[in-house]
Amino acid sequence: LSEATMEEVADILTNDTSGTGCVATNLTKIHFYNNMSGVGGCRQFARILEKSSKLTDIRFSSTRAGRDGSDIVASALDVALEEGRNANLEKLDFCDNNFGNKASQDALFRALGCTASLSYLDLRDCELEDDGVKKVCHALFESDSALEHLDLSGNAVERRGAKQIADYIRDSGGKLKVLCLDDNDLTSKGVVHIASAFHGSEDGHAIERLQLNYTMCGAIGARALIDAFGPDGKDLPNLTKICLDGNSFKEDIVGELEVAFDNKLVEMEENDSDGEADDDLSDEDSDEEEDDENEEEQNGEVDALTDAMNKSLVV
């Protein structure tokens, strides 16, 4: 749909011609994706959100929204949820948008903090990076939703962001069933953080599918995942699929993974058996102290946002 066509759609859904309420008021599901509506289309989509009150399933992805359009949609969702509308939202797909600036991240953070019923969240390819992912994980924890599906693939997430994701997994109590982190620069150290989050669940973690394709993972990360799986998979009894393609495992490590995960391991056609991603970890070690120093400052920003969100909820 073009911007002009999207405006016509918004008119149809938001106009109350009969005096009994507009169509948007009673919508429970809206999917708008793979269109070319641009920023103007985002404004029209925001008009629909402004009138909605019963949505449980929202998909707005791959619409050439850009940074400005993503800001508009994130702000509209933020306002709707803050006002108590669409309070039973269960599924949110915002993949392939641009939440790379502070304003859109803050709006998304506040919105997610109000989604107590959310079970599915797709933020693939949203340019969140470590700071944005941290805000998302904190908001999800604050909302106390029983999230089952989380996709943060393609967000330039590195080791520091992986630690935030791991903290969320751990704090959520083992409810997550699907975790997708493909196409991020986690390195083995980031994968170690993720693997460690699956330890300690009394009845085994609920995770069923784990995707870590193209994450710059090497032997250290692979063995951490094997350790998290446990003997005969007893620590991850619900796991049915683990995806590790596009990484850098030597033949002996591939063998260890195949023995541990058996048919749960998806074929690794793009594995680089001649390389070793872990060779570069020494450079990353020098950055850890600086990352830790920055963490306290970023925690202060997130706490300030949380306080603001809580105040708005009280009002």
Side-chain angles (χ1 to χ4, degrees):
L1 298 179
S2 66
E3 177 182 338
T5 305
M6 186 57 186
E7 183 175 3
E8 294 178 10
V9 171
D11 287 343
I12 293 170
L13 295 178
T14 60
N15 288 341
D16 182 6
T17 56
S18 63
T20 58
C22 65
V23 175
T25 303
N26 293 311
L27 285 177
T28 58
K29 176 179 178 180
I30 183 167
H31 283 195
F32 185 73
Y33 60 98
N34 293 345
N35 286 297
M36 302 174 64
S37 57
V39 176
C42 294
R43 293 192 182 96
Q44 304 309 321
F45 191 81
R47 286 176 56 202
I48 299 171
L49 288 181
E50 288 169 2
K51 295 291 185 178
S52 65
S53 61
K54 301 177 182 178
L55 288 170
T56 61
D57 184 346
I58 299 174
R59 182 178 183 184
F60 187 83
S61 58
S62 303
T63 61
R64 298 191 178 182
R67 180 164 293 186
D68 292 340
S70 299
D71 286 352
I72 291 168
V73 174
S75 296
L77 181 63
D78 175 26
V79 171
L81 291 169
E82 182 181 352
E83 293 177 351
R85 294 182 286 111
N86 307 315
N88 295 317
L89 184 64
E90 298 174 0
K91 184 174 181 179
L92 180 61
D93 182 349
F94 268 0
C95 82
D96 196 18
N97 285 294
N98 187 330
F99 301 114
N101 63 23
K102 187 176 185 301
S104 61
Q105 287 180 6
D106 290 354
L108 185 63
F109 172 87
R110 291 189 298 267
L112 291 175
C114 299
T115 55
S117 299
L118 198 66
S119 62
Y120 180 105
L121 178 62
D122 189 345
L123 293 174
R124 175 186 289 264
D125 297 325
C126 285
E127 301 193 28
L128 291 169
E129 300 184 343
D130 285 350
D131 291 345
V133 163
K134 179 174 182 176
K135 292 177 182 178
V136 167
C137 290
H138 193 85
L140 291 172
F141 176 73
E142 289 293 323
S143 73
D144 197 28
S145 62
L147 196 69
E148 296 182 355
H149 182 113
L150 177 61
D151 192 338
L152 292 170
S153 302
N155 277 293
V157 182
E158 299 182 0
R159 177 187 58 81
R160 186 163 54 87
K163 183 178 183 300
Q164 301 303 322
I165 297 168
D167 287 344
Y168 168 70
I169 295 170
R170 195 177 293 109
D171 293 340
S172 66
K175 302 170 186 174
L176 201 63
K177 294 182 179 180
V178 177
L179 178 62
C180 304
L181 298 174
D182 302 329
D183 299 299
N184 284 303
D185 299 335
L186 303 181
T187 73
S188 274
K189 287 202 169 184
V191 173
V192 168
H193 283 311
I194 299 300
S196 68
F198 297 125
H199 286 292
S201 180
E202 292 183 2
D203 301 318
H205 202 281
I207 197 76
E208 296 175 1
R209 187 169 88 240
L210 179 60
Q211 293 187 196
L212 293 164
N213 297 311
Y214 299 94
T215 54
M216 299 177 66
C217 183
I220 295 173
R223 285 174 172 150
L225 290 169
I226 292 172
D227 182 56
F229 190 53
D232 299 320
K234 73 177 183 63
D235 294 330
L236 296 178
N238 299 298
L239 188 71
T240 60
K241 183 180 294 186
I242 182 167
C243 307
L244 297 170
D245 200 11
N247 289 299
S248 182
F249 306 126
K250 293 185 181 298
E251 290 185 6
D252 60 325
I253 301 300
V254 171
E256 291 179 30
L257 288 167
E258 290 174 341
V259 169
F261 294 108
D262 196 20
N263 60 358
K264 296 176 176 62
L265 179 67
V266 176
E267 187 174 356
M268 297 184 292
E269 297 179 353
E270 299 296 326
N271 176 60
D272 180 11
S273 59
D274 294 327
E276 177 48 77
D278 295 348
D279 290 345
D280 298 327
L281 290 185
S282 58
D283 294 333
E284 189 176 299
D285 290 339
S286 63
D287 296 331
E288 288 191 12
E289 185 175 345
E290 182 179 350
D291 286 345
D292 291 339
E293 290 175 357
N294 291 335
E295 186 102 6
E296 185 175 349
E297 180 180 348
Q298 291 157 0
N299 282 339
E301 291 181 5
V302 173
D303 290 342
L305 277 170
T306 303
D307 290 342
M309 181 181 69
N310 290 335
K311 288 178 182 177
S312 66
L313 290 175
V314 170
V315 172

